[in-house]
Amino acid sequence: MAEPSLARLSALFFGFLLLLAAYSWFPRLHSGFLSGTGVRKTLGPDPKLHVDHSSAKPQHPLDPLTVREIKRVQTILFDYDPGFGSGSATIHSMALDEPDKTRVVKWKKGQRLPSRRAEVLALSSGQSHVIIVDLDSGRVVSDVVNPTSGYPILTMDDLIAASQVALKSIEFNRSVEARGVKLSDLVALPTFTGWYGPEEGRRILKVQCFTSQDTPNYFMRPIEGLYATVDMDKLEVIKIVNKSPVPIPKAAGTEYRYSVLNKPVHMDRINPISIEQPDGPSFRVENGHLVKWANWVFHVKADHRAGMIISQATVRDSETGEARSVMYKGFPSELFVPYMDPEELWYYKTYLDAGEIGLGPAAMPLVPLNDCPRNAYYIDGVFASPDGKAIVQPNMICLFERYAGDVSWRHSEILIPNADIRESRPKVTLVARMATSVGNYDYTFDWEFQTDGLIRVTVAASGMLMVKGTPYDNVDDLGDKEDDSGPLISENVIGVVHDHFITFHLDMDIDGPTNNSLVKVHLEKQRVPTGKSPRKSYLKVKKYVAKTEKDAQIKLSLYDPYEFHIVNPNRKSRLGNPACYRIIPGGNAASLLDHDDPPQIRGAFTNNQIWVTRYNRSEQFAGGVLVYESHGDDTLQVWSDRDRSIENKDIVLWYTLGFHHIPCQEDYPVMPTVAASFELKPVNFFESNPVIGVAPFFEKDLPVCRPFPSS
């Protein structure tokens, strides 16, 4: 059999690349990408607004690397190690090496920016490098080799190479064709392997097979029982598994594109909805990243690994107008998605998406009017390709004001005779949104700011399930052989049970970066002494200050209720209460895997729902700096077990939200969105309700919209 041509290989990959949506420097995906040149970028409905990334300069200490800076880093690295020019050394991620926190906090607009540095994760001769490049001096100032186990984030070049290696294997191609699949319909999808010991010391990817015949939704048509293991250093197939074939699920019913679908929807039409702002948006964005809205100011930027980072969030005091610090930095630190199937072709599917592939380059441009409303403002991401060239991810983040008819506060007085008191205030919020497509799953991240000082963080999951082929097409055929890995969701399709966990890094700085503490507020049941009251029991509040990090390893329980407050004991209200923000968990789930299970060792940051650690600028990502095939030796669990003092210190709050996912038929062929959230709420931070004086809406302030008469 002749080897496939590179042109044919590229055609085979296109569907995979388009949906994987990762590392978008792949040049065919978007015409708006940049390779070291300028691009005119629309920011909103006004086409006159644009950003020329080729000439952009940083204006804030936390601004991401610009196109010019990425080009300079590339030049410095080429001079430092010729391997970067020849391709023997590759860049796996490049981001701003942020200045020391104390310098950022002290910096004022108009002052000179702190020294600009870049952190580069690179791979050279099989060795992992963490390189710091000083842009001012033009030198590499640090190059640490293999600081921990694991390898850097994968690149699109890695994924393409793994697929190419598999598809050049005659044995692999024959195995595909023996199952009745044309090579022209084959999608060879590299999947991440985790770490289980035997293959230690080399980077590997496992290539799983699907068919795209008659559908773009190849995820629903797995070629079950066939995969190839590829050594990424030697670029060779080291193992092919070819189990007894099972029927390939049908293509019918897998289409999801609106332009192609011809399926009737048995519901009345929903008319288009749009928010109108006669006076324009209430927020403004200065220098591309500094957002000012109502009583909030914060910095927002795209990030290669975290997707979107919110920094230096301050809220204006309702009494004095003082800008008060709430959070220095917040972002999704790591995702953990373990699938619950121990069989040979599935056991390794336990993904750490942020550290293995990155949430930033996997973020496709947001879809106007659908991902974001008409009044949205868009922000680009700027990243580096494996060869060090700058690329632009267009419309990666959007900002918009939201009003859905919700109420900020209200009261109608019914007990005072003849009093007509009906006070109500609308709840208008500001949302910063980013969506990322990590393979089959799409995640939407929202940071929502309220005028009462509350921040709500929401993660919504949609996209396609990762499914397993089966010979059964009806549950009645299963009998006592019900599949252990999940339920039947379509003919010959099993939805494998799995978990989603997202751990957030929340560097809370309540009225400053120092002298913060975690206070555990416990509701303790008290028994009323006999004869003292008709009541038999009540709840009493008791407060405990966490002294060390192990005191702040917290598992949530409905039957042992706590509130968790980050307080500044040195900033007190007029009544003597310390300024505080409280984390309010939403619906949640806990990882139930054994702690000695290799995936849980790597994902040990999900052992608790809440952690508080001592601030350390090197402890940013809960799964460690180098995550691919890591051994779990550089995780949040490891840092917290050092048990450092956290009372009256600069501390970081970590919160993990999650959900168990037992798939069902409604998840096929595309899953409706499911969301989880948490809130950061002021407690004794303000002297009283900070939005008591906010004006209501009046008819004269709004555009004239007449209801359409119904029949």
Side-chain angles (χ1 to χ4, degrees):
M1 178 183 293
E3 288 190 349
S5 69
L6 184 59
R8 188 169 72 82
L9 288 170
S10 297
L12 294 178
F13 300 147
F14 183 76
F16 151 58
L17 295 173
L18 184 61
L19 287 177
L20 183 62
Y23 292 82
S24 303
W25 46 76
F26 193 71
R28 289 175 292 176
L29 292 182
H30 301 296
S31 61
F33 288 156
L34 172 71
S35 296
T37 60
V39 61
R40 193 173 190 271
K41 165 63 181 52
T42 299
L43 290 177
D46 184 352
K48 297 177 183 177
L49 298 174
H50 70 277
V51 170
D52 183 358
H53 287 285
S54 64
S55 60
K57 296 180 180 180
Q59 304 292 327
H60 186 282
L62 298 178
D63 280 357
L65 295 174
T66 65
V67 166
R68 286 182 172 181
E69 290 176 322
I70 290 172
K71 175 62 177 175
R72 179 155 169 74
V73 172
Q74 181 196 46
T75 301
I76 295 168
L77 288 176
F78 282 18
D79 291 341
Y80 172 73
D81 181 351
F84 284 104
S86 67
S88 63
T90 54
I91 294 169
H92 286 245
S93 71
M94 183 191 300
L96 177 72
D97 181 44
E98 294 182 356
D100 184 77
K101 181 177 177 179
T102 56
R103 295 199 63 188
V104 175
V105 171
K106 292 178 180 178
W107 181 85
K108 303 295 182 185
K109 184 177 180 179
Q111 295 179 345
R112 182 178 179 180
L113 292 177
S115 176
R116 299 278 288 178
R117 294 186 172 193
E119 180 186 72
V120 178
L121 299 186
L123 198 67
S124 179
S125 302
Q127 305 294 309
S128 301
H129 292 252
V130 180
I131 301 171
I132 305 299
V133 177
D134 188 289
L135 288 160
D136 292 346
S137 66
R139 297 185 304 111
V140 170
V141 295
S142 175
D143 184 356
V144 180
V145 181
N146 299 330
T148 65
S149 67
Y151 297 100
I153 278 176
L154 293 167
T155 69
M156 179 55 80
D157 288 0
D158 289 327
L159 304 182
I160 293 174
S163 295
Q164 287 178 339
V165 169
L167 288 168
K168 288 179 180 178
S169 165
I170 294 176
E171 179 186 354
F172 186 73
N173 286 345
R174 285 175 175 169
S175 299
V176 171
E177 292 178 321
R179 292 172 181 251
V181 176
K182 297 178 181 179
L183 292 179
S184 58
D185 293 327
L186 179 67
V187 176
L189 176 68
T191 55
F192 317 144
T193 59
W195 177 79
Y196 296 88
E199 288 145 341
E200 180 179 3
R202 57 181 172 181
R203 289 195 313 147
I204 61 172
L205 280 166
K206 296 191 177 185
V207 179
Q208 184 179 356
C209 296
F210 303 82
T211 174
S212 62
Q213 182 183 13
D214 300 326
T215 181
N217 193 353
Y218 57 85
F219 282 112
M220 297 301 109
R221 305 201 70 199
I223 305 172
E224 196 62 45
L226 175 64
Y227 76 77
T229 302
V230 175
D231 185 318
M232 293 304 298
D233 297 323
K234 296 182 179 180
L235 292 180
E236 64 182 21
V237 174
I238 57 177
K239 183 179 181 180
I240 293 176
V241 173
N242 188 7
K243 301 280 189 179
S244 298
V246 299
I248 296 173
K250 65 183 187 304
T254 62
E255 180 61 69
Y256 59 92
R257 295 169 297 174
Y258 179 76
S259 60
V260 179
L261 275 173
N262 190 26
K263 182 177 180 180
V265 179
H266 299 291
M267 65 173 69
D268 294 337
R269 181 177 185 268
I270 297 176
N271 293 326
I273 297 174
S274 179
I275 294 176
E276 304 300 329
Q277 295 180 291
D279 298 326
S282 306
F283 67 91
R284 63 184 187 274
V285 181
E286 296 182 356
N287 300 318
H289 299 284
L290 192 66
V291 181
K292 297 182 177 182
W293 174 78
N295 48 352
W296 282 101
V297 177
F298 60 89
H299 185 276
V300 60
K301 68 177 175 183
D303 182 75
H304 188 119
R305 186 161 174 174
M308 177 172 62
I309 295 177
I310 304 293
S311 299
Q312 290 198 291
T314 64
V315 66
R316 202 176 306 156
D317 190 278
S318 57
E319 301 290 330
T320 66
E322 172 194 1
R324 297 176 63 185
S325 170
V326 174
M327 183 180 71
Y328 180 73
K329 190 176 182 181
F331 58 92
S333 178
E334 190 54 86
L335 283 72
F336 180 39
V337 186
Y339 283 80
M340 304 303 166
D341 189 329
E343 292 186 359
E344 181 180 8
L345 281 79
W346 277 84
Y347 76 89
Y348 62 88
K349 294 182 179 180
T350 54
Y351 303 122
L352 301 173
D353 289 326
E356 291 180 330
I357 194 66
L359 304 183
M364 299 285 277
L366 294 161
V367 181
L369 303 183
N370 295 276
D371 282 330
C372 309
R374 189 162 67 176
N375 60 333
Y377 176 102
Y378 294 87
I379 298 174
D380 298 339
V382 180
F383 304 116
S385 65
D387 61 1
K389 294 180 180 178
I391 60 100
V392 166
Q393 196 77 309
N395 292 7
M396 178 178 159
I397 295 169
C398 72
L399 299 166
F400 60 91
E401 287 169 291
R402 171 187 281 160
Y403 174 60
D406 294 326
V407 176
S408 179
W409 68 265
R410 80 174 313 279
H411 180 66
S412 294
E413 185 53 62
I414 193 172
L415 298 178
I416 300 177
N418 302 319
D420 182 16
I421 300 176
R422 291 177 299 143
E423 293 289 331
S424 181
R425 301 293 184 272
K427 179 186 285 187
V428 179
T429 63
L430 180 70
V431 178
R433 172 171 293 171
M434 186 274 299
T436 185
S437 302
V438 187
N440 54 305
Y441 262 106
D442 291 58
Y443 295 96
T444 301
F445 294 86
D446 280 3
W447 290 78
E448 186 173 8
F449 295 83
Q450 296 186 181
T451 53
D452 60 4
L454 183 142
I455 304 172
R456 180 179 298 104
V457 182
T458 302
V459 181
S462 185
M464 284 78 171
L465 296 172
M466 182 66 75
V467 301
K468 180 180 181 179
T470 178
Y472 301 102
D473 59 14
N474 192 286
V475 293
D476 293 335
D477 299 332
L478 291 170
D480 296 331
K481 300 178 181 179
E482 185 172 354
D483 196 284
D484 290 337
S485 62
L488 195 70
I489 62 168
S490 187
E491 290 81 359
N492 307 117
V493 177
I494 287 172
V496 179
V497 174
H498 56 285
D499 290 338
H500 297 262
F501 297 107
I502 303 95
T503 297
F504 282 84
H505 173 113
L506 304 163
D507 185 358
M508 304 298 290
D509 282 359
I510 308 304
D511 283 311
T514 59
N515 301 314
N516 279 199
S517 298
L518 170 67
V519 175
K520 298 187 284 186
V521 181
H522 195 200
L523 284 172
E524 299 181 1
K525 186 172 70 175
Q526 305 290 315
R527 186 71 179 173
V528 179
T530 302
K532 189 175 181 180
S533 170
R535 290 283 297 274
K536 300 298 184 183
S537 63
Y538 68 102
L539 300 181
K540 184 176 181 178
V541 173
K542 291 190 177 180
K543 298 181 179 181
Y544 304 89
V545 178
K547 303 294 184 181
T548 67
E549 290 171 315
K550 287 187 177 180
D551 292 338
Q553 297 179 353
I554 296 163
K555 293 178 173 64
L556 300 176
S557 172
L558 287 175
Y559 293 97
D560 189 20
Y562 281 85
E563 288 187 0
F564 302 99
H565 296 186
I566 302 296
V567 307
N568 185 335
N570 299 307
R571 176 71 181 253
K572 295 185 177 181
S573 71
R574 73 181 191 280
L575 302 180
N577 290 311
C580 163
Y581 258 71
R582 166 193 173 198
I583 184 164
I584 304 177
N588 211 334
S591 179
L592 303 178
L593 298 179
D594 290 337
H595 285 196
D596 63 350
D597 194 356
Q600 190 62 35
I601 293 172
R602 301 176 69 230
F605 48 87
T606 64
N607 288 343
N608 301 294
Q609 288 77 56
I610 294 176
W611 314 68
V612 173
T613 59
R614 185 83 167 265
Y615 172 80
N616 184 323
R617 74 190 302 259
S618 68
E619 297 173 4
Q620 300 278 323
F621 295 100
V625 175
L626 304 173
V627 170
Y628 195 76
E629 294 182 21
S630 63
H631 304 176
D633 54 338
D634 183 32
T635 67
L636 174 56
Q637 179 75 66
V638 173
W639 310 332
S640 176
D641 282 345
R642 294 170 183 158
D643 207 23
R644 295 162 291 192
S645 171
I646 56 172
E647 184 178 11
N648 291 334
K649 304 293 184 182
D650 189 356
I651 57 178
V652 177
L653 171 67
W654 307 78
Y655 180 74
T656 297
L657 62 78
F659 41 91
H660 305 300
H661 190 175
I662 303 173
C664 60
Q665 288 182 226
E666 287 82 357
D667 294 335
Y668 180 93
V670 178
M671 188 182 87
T673 297
V674 60
S677 64
F678 66 92
E679 296 175 348
L680 300 169
K681 183 181 186 299
V683 175
N684 300 319
F685 187 87
F686 299 107
E687 294 292 350
S688 61
N689 181 347
V691 291
I692 192 72
V694 172
F697 285 165
F698 295 102
E699 195 73 32
K700 64 181 178 63
D701 299 325
L702 302 176
V704 177
C705 297
R706 303 294 185 193
F708 190 85
S710 59
S711 58

